[in-house]
Amino acid sequence: MWKKRKPESSDVSASKEGTSASTDSQQDPQLSESNRVQEDVGSIALNHGLLAMGARASTAVADSIAGGLTDADVMLRVKAGDDSAFDYLVQKYRRQIINFMYRMAHNSAAAEDLAQEVFLRVYRSRANYEPSAKFTTWLYRIATNLGVNYARDTRHERPENVMNLDEPDSETGQAQDLADKTPSVEEEILRRERLAAIKARVEALPERQKMAVLMHKYQQMDYRQIAEVLKLSESATKSLLFRAYETLRTELKEFV
Amino acid sequence: MKCTEINELLPDLAAGLASAPPGISDHLHICNECAGKLEEFRKTMALLDEWQAPEPSPYFDTRLHARLREEAARQPRSFFAWMRRPAFAVSLAVALVAGVSLFEVRKIGHGHPTQVAETSQGTSQPVQPGTAVSDLQVLDKNQDLLADSDSDTASDLLDDLQVQQDVTANP
Ligand SMILES: [Zn+2]
């Protein structure tokens, strides 16, 4: 008699739908109400951190830095709730992280978004921060992971080697006034060809070689730091870098 | 000193990040091949310098601070939410149970009698407020039954009739 059960069960489900619909509509305002209250509480509690996070550097932090605090020490202060200490780290590493991300994303807007994400992730993990590695190692590991993922996700969307002289630079957004600032359009075309080749050849390197070159060439990081970020031995990093530059030397020969 | 031993030093030497130790320096003076390679590495490095990154936008800090404030606001809130969540979940569950039982009570007291009216007495009963709902329920049920009786046998139809009777007999 399974069919006898059927209408009953459909009755039950009908009534369930009815109740869930009615509870939803009743609960929604309550939910948003309590969220709003919590937000208020949160923003009151955070007012002083929020002010400290402004452009002005905390003198206490500045003094401590002068007194020889390492980045890890500063990060421990962030962990303890000192948001102005975090602002110090942002100011210190902002430019190099943006530049690093720019050479992975090939787009300045995306680079800034990615750099923001790097700092947000660092900030989010402040409670769990342990100074087991150098702060920059940790910072660049986060940046590398984000950049590699971004590069993988957008590999097919990025127009490499595209040179359109009439349009603003797709990467920097800057307009290109060829006739104005260069002695010759021809020279400018050659310069752009070189630049496109550099980007394309670096981009074409195997992932770890590319990361190593970006850190070594453009971030002036030494073997040991790069090795730590990439979780490789120093000697493996040395040979990785040699192979990468050797490839670049060969492939860019016509431009040097 | 073998030439291959110098290879791994070339990136740092060419980038100017390190200066050649005495042994290497001596070798570079006598080995044209290594000296030539170092020079090519230097040129490659110089070429790579042409790839300049643009200046950070002036809005970077503003946007980051806004996002950090959001993030900072989220943390204590999640703490409060964590504290409140059990109580909130309990109240939600209570509301749900109350809602279900209320509806059930209404159905027992109101829903089924109208169904009885629709199915057994049908037209003789005057139209009541809220019958639109029971109509829909009956329609749904009939559609279910029709869908179920696709085998189109007499026993199925008998079963369906039995169901209708059961429904009306047990409000
Ligand atoms: Zn040699």
Side-chain angles (χ1 to χ4, degrees):
Chain A
M1 289 295 277
W2 58 274
K3 283 208 169 170
K4 189 185 171 179
R5 295 254 171 276
K6 196 125 206 287
E8 280 175 355
S9 68
S10 79
D11 247 5
V12 170
S13 70
S15 69
K16 255 186 193 160
E17 271 163 32
T19 42
S20 62
S22 65
T23 45
D24 276 355
S25 56
Q26 282 163 9
Q27 293 299 333
D28 270 347
Q30 281 178 13
L31 273 169
S32 54
E33 191 77 22
S34 61
N35 272 354
R36 205 167 57 223
V37 170
Q38 284 166 8
E39 265 165 29
D40 287 344
V41 171
S43 53
I44 290 163
L46 271 155
N47 264 347
H48 95 168
L50 184 152
L51 288 170
M53 234 185 247
R56 67 194 175 91
S58 153
T59 47
V61 173
D63 289 349
S64 315
I65 308 309
L69 276 191
T70 64
D71 291 337
D73 294 332
V74 177
M75 194 58 210
L76 285 172
R77 292 182 62 154
V78 177
K79 184 181 182 175
D82 184 352
D83 284 340
S84 64
F86 190 71
D87 202 44
Y88 164 82
L89 293 171
V90 170
Q91 294 308 313
K92 184 172 179 183
Y93 292 108
R94 171 186 81 124
R95 178 181 290 263
Q96 53 175 286
I97 292 296
I98 293 172
N99 288 354
F100 186 54
M101 295 322 245
Y102 168 73
R103 292 197 174 90
M104 271 186 283
H106 291 219
N107 173 300
S108 57
E112 294 203 357
D113 284 346
L114 286 165
Q116 299 216 343
E117 194 57 37
V118 171
F119 288 114
L120 275 172
R121 286 188 187 202
V122 170
Y123 187 71
R124 265 182 217 135
S125 353
R126 67 196 183 281
N128 305 317
Y129 177 73
E130 294 297 336
S132 53
K134 253 183 102 177
F135 174 76
T136 45
T137 302
W138 186 45
L139 186 68
Y140 273 94
R141 204 172 279 166
I142 294 172
T144 301
N145 286 338
L146 276 170
V148 164
N149 286 338
Y150 178 87
R152 282 180 191 162
D153 292 347
T154 58
R155 182 160 293 157
H156 305 292
E157 298 163 24
R158 279 185 284 157
E160 301 291 349
N161 289 320
V162 172
M163 269 208 314
N164 191 336
L165 299 181
D166 300 327
E167 283 177 11
D169 192 326
S170 63
E171 289 188 6
T172 61
Q174 285 157 1
Q176 299 160 344
D177 315 321
L178 298 186
D180 292 353
K181 67 178 181 187
T182 56
S184 111
V185 173
E186 220 169 286
E187 248 175 71
E188 177 60 18
I189 290 171
L190 287 174
R191 193 191 66 82
R192 292 245 206 109
E193 266 177 15
R194 275 200 312 275
L195 194 55
I198 293 165
K199 290 173 182 175
R201 301 297 22 138
V202 171
E203 185 65 25
L205 289 172
E207 208 160 66
R208 281 199 300 195
Q209 287 189 29
K210 180 177 86 173
M211 305 315 300
V213 166
L214 293 185
M215 282 186 266
H216 182 262
K217 176 66 202 130
Y218 297 108
Q219 309 299 129
Q220 282 82 42
M221 288 162 74
D222 61 27
Y223 293 140
R224 185 196 297 245
Q225 277 182 294
I226 297 166
E228 278 173 2
V229 172
L230 296 179
K231 297 181 182 172
L232 293 171
S233 70
E234 258 186 76
S235 68
T237 306
K238 281 181 186 175
S239 72
L240 192 73
L241 270 171
F242 172 72
R243 281 180 280 138
Y245 283 119
E246 184 65 1
T247 304
L248 292 175
R249 182 184 69 86
T250 319
E251 309 226 315
L252 294 170
K253 211 164 201 164
E254 59 175 304
F255 297 102
V256 295
Chain B
M1 168 68 55
K2 284 185 211 149
C3 297
T4 48
E5 285 173 43
I6 289 184
N7 280 348
E8 291 182 356
L9 292 167
L10 288 175
D12 263 8
L13 291 177
L17 291 175
S19 50
I24 305 290
S25 189
D26 292 344
H27 179 82
L28 287 170
H29 278 112
I30 54 163
C31 177
N32 284 336
E33 202 180 319
C34 283
K37 207 166 201 178
L38 177 58
E39 194 47 39
E40 283 195 37
F41 262 65
R42 282 201 178 112
K43 282 180 185 161
T44 305
M45 293 281 187
L47 179 68
L48 291 174
D49 278 335
E50 286 193 30
W51 187 11
Q52 292 297 314
E55 282 293 301
S57 86
Y59 309 108
F60 182 84
D61 284 353
T62 319
R63 286 194 296 134
L64 180 58
H65 284 147
R67 292 181 74 182
L68 285 169
R69 273 197 297 272
E70 253 174 57
E71 191 58 40
R74 193 168 291 140
Q75 302 285 38
R77 205 180 73 194
S78 69
F79 172 73
F80 279 111
W82 205 78
M83 293 292 282
R84 285 172 180 220
R85 196 154 288 153
F88 195 69
V90 166
S91 65
L92 198 86
V94 166
L96 202 78
V97 167
V100 169
S101 30
L102 263 173
F103 199 87
E104 285 302 310
V105 168
R106 277 228 317 269
K107 264 204 81 72
I108 289 160
H110 179 72
H112 278 257
T114 55
Q115 256 179 34
V116 170
E118 290 295 324
T119 48
S120 61
Q121 280 117 357
T123 49
S124 66
Q125 200 78 352
V127 180
Q128 294 174 357
T131 45
V133 174
S134 4
D135 281 349
L136 283 172
Q137 282 174 349
V138 171
L139 272 173
D140 282 349
K141 202 172 291 167
N142 286 343
Q143 272 177 348
D144 281 350
L145 292 173
L146 284 171
D148 284 339
S149 62
D150 54 351
S151 55
D152 203 32
T153 61
S155 66
D156 271 346
L157 287 171
L158 278 172
D159 273 350
D160 293 343
L161 281 170
Q162 182 67 41
V163 167
Q164 292 289 344
Q165 277 167 3
D166 283 343
V167 168
T168 55
N170 306 303

